[in-house]
Each structure stands twice: as C-alpha cells, then as structure tokens.
Amino acid sequence: MSYPRIDSSTKEERFEYIKKTYRCIADCDMCGICAALKGKTPEVAFQDYIDGVAEYPEVAARYR
C-alpha cells in the first residue's frame, strides 16, 4: 500500500493513513508499535507527515 503523498493529499487523508497503518491492538507484548516509535503515539510520531512538513518515508526513517 502506497502512502498518500503530501502534494496530492489532505491532512485528514494523511492522518487516516497513519491511524490505519499503526492501529493499536491493545497487546503491547505482541505488537511493539509503541516501542518502535520510542513511546510516542503514531499521531505524535508522524505529526510532521500529517502536517505536510515531511514525507512519510523521511519521518519513518527517524524510528529505524
């Protein structure tokens, strides 16, 4: 699944993409998303992408 590019998407579309991609399954031992994002929620971790400041891969690279 390709991510919505900043130049052709709305803030709401980018927010929905992050919500769908990083769904909380309420089982931290099985998931690990919070640990991978250094304790941040996906919405906070990807705020620059959601706001249109940086593309998704650039922001995602911060958490590798």
Side-chain angles (χ1 to χ4, degrees):
M1 177 180 190
S2 182
Y3 65 93
R5 305 231 189 279
I6 290 173
D7 60 355
S8 61
S9 66
T10 65
K11 183 175 182 174
E12 290 78 19
E13 290 170 327
R14 294 187 297 271
F15 180 76
E16 286 302 315
Y17 174 77
I18 294 301
K19 277 182 35 179
K20 288 179 185 176
T21 303
Y22 296 94
R23 282 189 311 269
C24 179
I25 63 170
D27 187 351
C28 294
D29 290 334
M30 294 295 294
C31 178
I33 289 175
C34 294
L37 297 177
K38 302 176 184 170
K40 297 178 183 176
T41 65
E43 294 82 3
V44 170
F46 286 92
Q47 193 64 53
D48 282 349
Y49 169 63
I50 294 168
D51 288 342
V53 175
E55 287 288 357
Y56 175 76
E58 181 182 339
V59 177
R62 298 173 188 169
Y63 298 97
R64 292 194 181 132

